[in-house]
Amino acid sequence: MDKETFIKKLLMYKDTVFRVAYSYVKNKSDAEDISQEVFLKLYTSAPDFNSEQAEKAWLIRITINKSKDLVKSGWFSRRSDNTEFTEHYEMSTAESDMLEKVLSLPDKYRSLIHLYYYEEYSVKEISEITGVKASTVQTRLQRGRKLLEKKLKEEMCYEKRNILPSYEKH
């Protein structure tokens, strides 16, 4: 692959790769490192793709694999670092709050919800990318949405309680 083509692909997919990596590792530095590894692999050993969709799916699959490898490593589980996602991308408060709730979901729901809503893949495409049956993808999306709904309702109840004025007798 020539340098110009690589730079074009890097600019086209960098945000997607970063967001997918971040959805797994929840850390800006680690997501950036994974992104570099993914693009190095693209530059050095990517197969020929018959479409941009196939290329994007390949990049996401590589990103997921590298992210899972890092999360499984003993080093990763022994350290703590809470870098905020919003440092890298400007978002509204509502978008940032929703993303925070998505990232707090268990991995099996979080990654699928990210691919479905943020990357706009269909259930069938997610199934092909992740290697999870389409029916399982649908079930996990449904359960993930229910968990998100529950988190939103809990937050609304909490906010309503804190909005009401407290009257103290003097």
Side-chain angles (χ1 to χ4, degrees):
M1 175 181 310
D2 64 50
K3 186 177 178 181
E4 190 176 306
T5 303
F6 174 73
I7 290 171
K8 179 182 168 196
K9 291 174 190 280
L10 174 69
L11 294 174
M12 187 181 329
Y13 299 119
K14 69 180 178 142
D15 291 343
T16 298
V17 169
F18 178 85
R19 286 190 308 257
V20 170
Y22 190 89
S23 74
Y24 279 87
V25 298
K26 299 181 184 177
N27 175 284
K28 180 183 173 191
S29 298
D30 291 334
E32 288 171 343
D33 289 347
I34 289 167
S35 296
Q36 287 180 350
E37 290 179 37
V38 168
F39 285 109
L40 180 62
K41 187 164 181 102
L42 174 69
Y43 188 73
T44 59
S45 61
D48 289 330
F49 300 102
N50 55 6
S51 70
E52 281 185 10
Q53 274 305 99
E55 184 173 55
K56 185 177 178 183
W58 182 84
L59 285 167
I60 289 173
R61 181 73 253 162
I62 299 299
T63 304
I64 290 170
N65 289 342
K66 290 194 176 294
S67 299
K68 284 181 175 181
D69 289 346
L70 179 63
V71 170
K72 284 190 265 182
S73 73
W75 172 83
F76 185 83
S77 61
R78 285 190 299 273
R79 68 171 181 105
S80 65
D81 185 5
N82 296 321
T83 305
E84 291 296 319
F85 183 81
T86 52
E87 289 178 11
H88 193 73
Y89 293 99
E90 288 189 28
M91 316 180 143
S92 70
T93 303
E95 289 172 324
S96 179
D97 288 347
M98 181 55 78
L99 181 62
E100 185 179 313
K101 285 171 189 47
V102 169
L103 292 174
S104 72
L105 293 173
D107 179 49
K108 65 182 179 180
Y109 306 125
R110 177 179 67 233
S111 58
L112 300 180
I113 285 179
H114 177 83
L115 290 172
Y116 188 80
Y117 289 103
Y118 292 90
E119 302 303 328
E120 299 179 348
Y121 278 103
S122 69
V123 169
K124 182 182 177 201
E125 291 169 327
I126 294 170
S127 174
E128 291 169 0
I129 291 169
T130 61
V132 175
K133 292 180 185 178
S135 59
T136 304
V137 170
Q138 287 178 317
T139 301
R140 288 182 182 173
L141 284 171
Q142 182 180 24
R143 289 178 182 165
R145 284 189 289 260
K146 284 182 182 178
L147 285 172
L148 279 174
E149 182 181 1
K150 182 179 175 186
K151 287 177 184 283
L152 289 169
K153 284 181 180 178
E154 287 171 359
E155 184 178 286
M156 291 295 285
C157 288
Y158 177 77
E159 286 176 1
K160 282 181 184 177
R161 280 184 263 149
N162 287 333
I163 290 173
L164 297 174
S166 60
Y167 297 99
E168 297 178 17
K169 293 183 179 179
H170 295 278

